[in-house]
Amino acid sequence: MSPIQQLISNFQELVAQVPEIVQPLIILLAGAVPFVDGEGAAIIGIIGGVHPVVAAVAAAAGNFLCVLLVVAVTSRARTAVIDRRPTPVGASVGMGARAGVGAQALPGMAPAKPESKGRERFNRWLVRFGVPGASILGPLAIPSQITSAILIGGGTPRRWVLLWQAVSIALWTTVGAVSVWAALTYVVEVS
């Protein structure tokens, strides 16, 4: 038995000590962790010996529930900030900041700090491919939770973000689950 096969076998024995009903719940919680996301949690679950479909569904559900929470909180925070923003002189009160009128920086505000490389890459994708492309390509640069917060903070409607995040989570979790299942089955030859 190769060292990789031995390592996977030991990990599967460790996971087998956890009751089967709890295993998907642990994968669900792992899917909610940023940078692990659905694909990482599904991979961990499948390597641990959980059925690939169960691991993928639990991981995707955990990731989407966390994205749903982030979208709800970010949307409320954005609404609170916009509702409290002073209306620029000459702008009508009814259309003020919500419509984007007077979105310039207010006098006396400190300049924003420079953006990270991941955020710059995400912004390029958002401009080039729109919300669907940014949602699907976003996990290559930053976690889906951060992608959702950026999109909502920028004014994208919640339903649109949730729809494309669900598509992205399903796509990347499926890619991760199928890849690790195929690697374990055909390359490492561990069941």
Side-chain angles (χ1 to χ4, degrees):
M1 185 177 278
S2 75
I4 293 175
Q5 289 173 327
Q6 184 64 41
L7 179 67
I8 292 171
S9 177
N10 290 343
F11 183 63
Q12 288 177 347
E13 289 174 16
L14 179 68
V15 171
Q17 294 176 4
V18 176
E20 282 189 36
I21 193 78
V22 178
Q23 292 172 1
L25 296 174
I26 293 171
I27 295 170
L28 184 132
L29 291 174
V33 176
F35 294 103
V36 174
D37 286 342
E39 58 273 14
I43 289 169
I44 292 168
I46 293 169
I47 291 173
V50 177
H51 190 277
V53 173
V54 173
V57 169
N63 194 354
F64 185 75
L65 289 173
C66 187
V67 165
L68 184 65
L69 178 68
V70 167
V71 165
V73 169
T74 306
S75 178
R76 286 196 146 203
R78 183 178 192 282
T79 301
V81 167
I82 288 177
D83 287 346
R84 293 177 194 256
R85 185 180 294 167
T87 305
V89 176
S92 67
V93 176
M95 293 189 56
R98 270 208 194 269
V101 176
Q104 310 92 355
L106 297 174
M109 290 183 66
K113 62 182 179 179
E115 292 181 335
S116 68
K117 288 183 182 180
R119 178 73 188 257
E120 288 175 3
R121 186 177 314 140
F122 176 81
N123 285 337
R124 280 195 310 270
W125 288 339
L126 181 58
V127 168
R128 179 180 271 171
F129 304 113
V131 173
S135 293
I136 292 171
L137 296 173
L140 297 173
I142 53 179
S144 57
Q145 295 89 341
I146 296 173
T147 302
S148 300
I150 292 169
L151 290 171
I152 292 295
T156 306
R158 285 181 296 193
R159 289 182 182 188
W160 193 241
V161 172
L162 290 174
L163 169 71
W164 285 105
Q165 285 300 314
V167 169
S168 173
I169 290 167
L171 174 73
W172 286 111
T173 302
T174 301
V175 166
V178 169
S179 298
V180 77
W181 171 81
L184 288 176
T185 303
Y186 299 113
V187 177
V188 181
E189 299 176 354
V190 175
S191 56

